[in-house]
Amino acid sequence: MDQTTQFSTAFQDPDLCRQLLRTLQSIQTSPLTFMEVCGTHTVAIFRSGLHSLLPDTIEHLSGPGCPVCVTHDSEVAAYLKLAERDNVIIATFGDLLRVPGPNGKTLKTAKAEGARVEIVYSPFDALTLAVDNPTETVVFLGIGFETTAPTVAATVKTAQARGISNLLVMSFHKLVPPALAALVADNKTSVDAFLLPGHVSTVIGLEPYRFLASEYGVPGVVTGFEPADILQALIYVARMRANGEADIVNAYTRAVASEGNPQAVAIMNEVFDHGPALWRGIGGIDGSGLIFSNDYAEFDALRALDLTIEETPPLKGCQCGDVLKGIIKPNQCRLFGTACTPAKPVGPCMVSTEGSCAAYYKYRLELS
């Protein structure tokens, strides 16, 4: 058993989890609604069975932490339109392939109709694709948060250094803290505490979340993805709420440094500037997106191919936007489990492996 597996197993220990659960139950006496921000947390909470073990006084909401899910309808429409062009190869992570756009069309159906769409597992795979196809334009669909953006930035820097001019990026990257600011300022969303994303926090550290506690009095805990991690984080949250305190706590110190990863942040900030971005369900948020800086503008697919993001209406009947804001739970969507299933998803929350609707469906939570 390698060291990583040993660590994971230790944080899955049933006796430890039972002890933590008893501690949580002893502390948590008043109602508490928490939102986990990360899609991987969503799946971890359901897969481990924690969702059904939590005290009745605790309500769990999923947030805007699934990168595929938060990609806006207008962005989906834009890359589907791009797929219609000749001499363009779209390089994308697999989850985007089945996200429906206007009229239900997807990249998968576009590919069946003849579009060049290639699944990649890293932005560097897109770079290789560009090298191998010098007469084509390869467009990488840049989705994801602070976790993904530094690798995309490194790929762009490598392409520039090697003089590779047929690689472009459609940057739909989004930043987590501005979305949390939008949520806590929205009176439709009621959240007592956040479980903050472990992966994103390895890059940005704790400081960008401080405003939640200092300005809004909402505590947040950065945590890992094993059952004991999540229970320990909820204990921190419950104690803070019981004591009338609010702070940002790092409960994932084995992976997250308080200052994050300055090198990753530096390369991200070299290639990208902060700009406006569209979020499914939330809408436009200033400063929540990553747009190319002037030094790397040559890699901007929108500029190079004269593409525009046109306003596109939400998918008919889909309530992914309300799910992402914690206004409803997935099984409260009128399409859940009937018109919308993993085999025939209407919205991205049912498509993505990190989507809360897919998790609800997979783990067969009670409909209520």
Side-chain angles (χ1 to χ4, degrees), residues 27-28 32 34 192-195 219-221 232-242 245:
I27 297 171
Q28 182 58 39
L32 167 69
F34 79 91
D192 297 318
F194 287 100
L195 294 195
V221 180
Q232 182 63 65
L234 291 176
I235 289 171
Y236 280 123
V237 164
R239 282 182 174 148
M240 283 191 278
R241 297 298 300 186
E245 300 169 349

Side-chain angles (χ1 to χ4, degrees), residues 2-15:
D2 61 33
Q3 192 174 37
T4 302
T5 304
Q6 284 180 323
F7 269 128
S8 297
T9 302
F11 287 91
Q12 297 167 359
D13 180 69
D15 289 336

